[in-house]
Amino acid sequence: MKQRIFLSPPHMSGHEQHFVQEAFDTNWIAPIGPNVDAFEKEIADYLNIKHVAAVSSGTAAIHLALINLGVQQGDEVLVSSLTFSATVNPIIYQNAIPVFVDSENDTWNMCPELLRFAIEDRIKKGKTPKAILPVHLYGVPAKIEQITAIADEFNIPVIEDAAESLGSKVNNKHTGTYGKMGILSFNGNKIITTSGGGALISDNDELIQHARFLATQARDNFPFYHHTQIGFNYRMSNVLAGIGRGQMKVLNQRVRQKNEIFQFYKSLFTDIEGVVFCETPPNSNCSRWLSCIVIDFEKTGGKTPAGFIEALETDNIESRHIWKPMHLQPVFNNYPAYTNGVAEKIFNQGVCLPSGTAMTNNELQRIANVIESYFS
Ligand SMILES: *Cc1c(COP(=O)(O)O)cnc(C)c1O
């Protein structure tokens, strides 16, 4: 059996163990300590944002962001339908109501026109949405300037899910820094990893301060343990922040490598009619966390995502369907949705290709061989 090629495995820089060792040597084996402080500062400098709160996961960061905005029982949150369930679950943790917004054809992200329609319709139905939660899917920036402009018109705060888009920019400003708050993920498969972790980012002092308070079991400032609110245990370990510091040293390199992988796929598919990539908005840089394609059944003479995924699997290569839209998930299909068929079409036609930055030329050649033989 050939060695397995994974979709997007962790890729260590070699610097991580130094920072982890430092945590051990100084006995900072806790959810607080010098690695956490330094990791937060390094991300803040990289993104050019004032505050970063490192937390236990991207999901936790979304949960804290929602609580920060006062999202509670019965409140509505407008959210991208084409995403990972982790974007939506924290809305349910708050007993609030996700209202799904479909995608646009070019970037696959939340359609600004449909967003405007959804806001006006929710207001007409008697409720102004409490927050808007767009996603920068697979690292491709959403039309975030348009989205935040619409949100401002209606005075609704934006939380950007930048879990997949660390390193992506629009007009030279990082994704995640356009909204009132943004969230990042350092899960094992993301562009950089702490094995598991996330961050809440914002320019607003109070919001980050409150998030830190909530993430630390909402412990009030008293000489004894005193609580006036329900809190969470959502902080990041100082050991894991050490991994993050090692990863920060190669973040720019990883973004470059991800883009090289994307170019590799682009050139492979140029001569194959009926296979297209999603487009980036004007003046943007894309992390290309995962390279993805959509396959037109007719134009390719009957090729399908399932068939292609199976052909790759036969050579022990991992690939994946595009996220199944949230409004089509059994667990969410009772919630309101503003749809145009785009997300469903992308799901039916889309494949995420192996995008690991440690892939060798030999491995890329194996993938190229499967692509050539499957699509010929
Ligand atoms: C990974 C991911 C998350 C959640 O991050 P975790 O760190 O795994 O909790 C949220 N949204 C999107 C779009 C993601 O890809």
Side-chain angles (χ1 to χ4, degrees), residues 274-343:
V275 174
V276 295
F277 295 83
C278 74
E279 291 162 33
T280 51
N283 301 317
S284 65
N285 306 74
C286 181
S287 73
R288 295 288 175 192
W289 171 57
L290 294 184
S291 288
C292 304
I293 53 169
V294 289
I295 304 168
D296 186 304
F297 186 79
E298 309 291 334
K299 287 188 192 153
T300 55
K303 306 297 187 217
T304 61
F308 181 40
I309 289 168
E310 194 183 302
L312 288 163
E313 196 56 53
T314 306
D315 204 61
N316 207 19
I317 300 166
E318 184 186 23
S319 61
R320 217 194 254 167
H321 288 274
I322 298 290
W323 303 120
K324 180 175 176 178
M326 292 300 116
H327 72 272
L328 299 176
Q329 299 286 355
V331 72
F332 294 131
N333 66 11
N334 282 328
Y335 293 106
Y338 292 82
T339 58
N340 55 18
V342 173

Side-chain angles (χ1 to χ4, degrees), residues 127-190:
K127 222 182 243 174
T128 302
K130 203 77 191 241
I132 302 169
L133 181 37
V135 182
H136 304 283
L137 206 66
Y138 301 120
V140 178
K143 301 241 176 76
I144 195 64
E145 290 175 322
Q146 290 181 38
I147 289 171
T148 48
I150 294 167
D152 286 348
E153 246 179 80
F154 294 92
N155 208 11
I156 305 170
V158 171
I159 304 166
E160 285 177 82
D161 182 341
E164 302 181 357
S165 69
L166 181 57
S168 299
K169 295 184 225 176
V170 178
N171 280 324
N172 233 14
K173 184 172 161 63
H174 281 275
T175 57
T177 67
Y178 276 89
K180 188 154 194 180
M181 286 171 276
I183 75 95
L184 308 173
S185 168
F186 310 113
N187 194 40
N189 57 353
K190 298 287 156 68

Side-chain angles (χ1 to χ4, degrees), residues 256-270:
R256 255 197 326 274
Q257 289 165 319
K258 291 277 189 189
N259 275 274
E260 282 162 19
I261 292 165
F262 178 75
Q263 289 308 327
F264 164 79
Y265 285 123
K266 264 215 124 156
S267 64
L268 276 180
F269 281 107
T270 42

Side-chain angles (χ1 to χ4, degrees), residues 78-82 99-105 108-122 129 132 143 146-147 150 154 327 336-344:
L78 291 163
V79 59
S80 301
S81 181
L82 192 63
V99 177
F100 298 111
V101 180
D102 212 313
S103 298
E104 53 179 2
N105 250 314
W108 303 4
N109 289 307
M110 183 183 275
C111 172
E113 271 132 59
L114 203 52
L115 171 66
R116 176 186 291 282
F117 179 82
I119 295 171
E120 288 173 346
D121 194 55
R122 295 326 287 172
I132 302 169
K143 301 241 176 76
Q146 290 181 38
I147 289 171
I150 294 167
F154 294 92
H327 72 272
Y338 292 82
T339 58
N340 55 18
V342 173
E344 184 167 4

